[in-house]
């Protein structure tokens, strides 16, 4: 299985420094805490309020699609469940694997931010990509879980921005 070969290749790349880095990077995505905090911070300043609303809306929609609907529909086992001999560096997740919610939420938020401010968006995409990679490095997701999370997250981000722009008018998002 190609996906397992990718994960085992990543295990050969492990080092104490990378283990430390990626266990901490993945925690940024736990429960969407980083993205929720960023959304709330953006809400505090009038200049960035629309971005905060878009980001939080993306998180909510991503959570509903990914965690509530798709994970329970697909019910895919995680690699760490199927290969318990691989030592885990993080707590063993209890929910299903597909799609990666850490990845989906990050890419949804980054896409919404990219639409409203390229600087915020680029920084958010870098963080989202690091979190996504950490899920593979830590063997808690299959590569296709992460790819699906990226694709779905980007789609949610575009959709939320499109709906918001149509609802409030094109001009409302030109100066954000």
């Amino acid at each position: 299985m190609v996906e397992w070969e990718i994960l085992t290749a990543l295990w050969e790349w492990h080092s104490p420094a990378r283990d430390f880095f990626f266990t901490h990077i993945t925690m940024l995505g736990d429960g969407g805490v980083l993205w929720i905090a960023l959304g709330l911070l953006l809400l505090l300043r009038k200049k960035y309020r629309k971005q905060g609303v878009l980001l939080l809306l993306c998180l909510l929609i991503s959570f509903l699609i990914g965690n509530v609907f798709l994970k329970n529909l697909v019910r895919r086992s995680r690699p760490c469940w199927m290969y318990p001999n691989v030592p885990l560096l993080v707590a063993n997740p209890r929910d299903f694997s597909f799609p990666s919610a850490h990845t989906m939420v990050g890419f949804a938020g980054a896409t919404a931010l990219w639409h409203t401010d390229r600087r915020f968006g680029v920084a958010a995409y870098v963080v989202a990509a690091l979190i996504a990679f950490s899920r593979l490095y830590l063997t808690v997701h299959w590569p296709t879980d992460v790819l699906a999370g990226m694709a779905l997250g980007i789609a949610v981000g575009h959709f939320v921005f499109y709906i918001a722009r149509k609802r409030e008018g094109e001009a409302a998002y030109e100066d954000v």
Side-chain angles (χ1 to χ4, degrees), residues 23 41 133 169:
T23 56
L41 277 172
F133 182 78

Side-chain angles (χ1 to χ4, degrees), residues 60-108:
L60 175 63
I61 292 171
S62 294
F63 172 76
L64 293 173
I65 291 172
N67 284 57
V68 174
F69 180 67
L70 286 175
K71 281 184 184 279
N72 294 306
L73 177 69
V74 176
R75 303 177 63 86
R76 186 179 195 188
S77 293
R78 292 177 178 270
C80 57
W81 297 353
M82 296 176 68
Y83 301 94
N85 58 329
V86 175
L88 277 178
L89 301 174
V90 294
N92 197 341
R94 289 186 242 151
D95 61 345
F96 292 106
S97 191
F98 183 89
S100 168
H102 279 71
T103 304
M104 187 174 175
V105 164
F107 276 86

Side-chain angles (χ1 to χ4, degrees), residues 109-176:
T111 301
L113 292 174
W114 182 82
H115 273 298
T116 59
D117 187 315
R118 299 290 196 254
R119 296 169 299 153
F120 284 151
V122 168
Y125 273 128
V126 169
V127 172
L130 285 170
I131 292 171
F133 182 78
S134 77
R135 306 308 285 167
L136 299 174
Y137 182 88
L138 297 169
T139 321
V140 292
H141 276 291
W142 299 102
T144 50
D145 300 338
V146 170
L147 288 174
M150 290 171 66
L152 290 166
I154 290 168
V156 167
H158 285 308
F159 174 76
V160 168
F161 181 77
Y162 173 81
I163 295 301
R165 193 174 66 187
K166 290 297 177 194
R167 185 176 172 271
E168 293 189 30
E170 305 279 336
Y173 288 90
E174 287 178 3
D175 296 329
V176 177

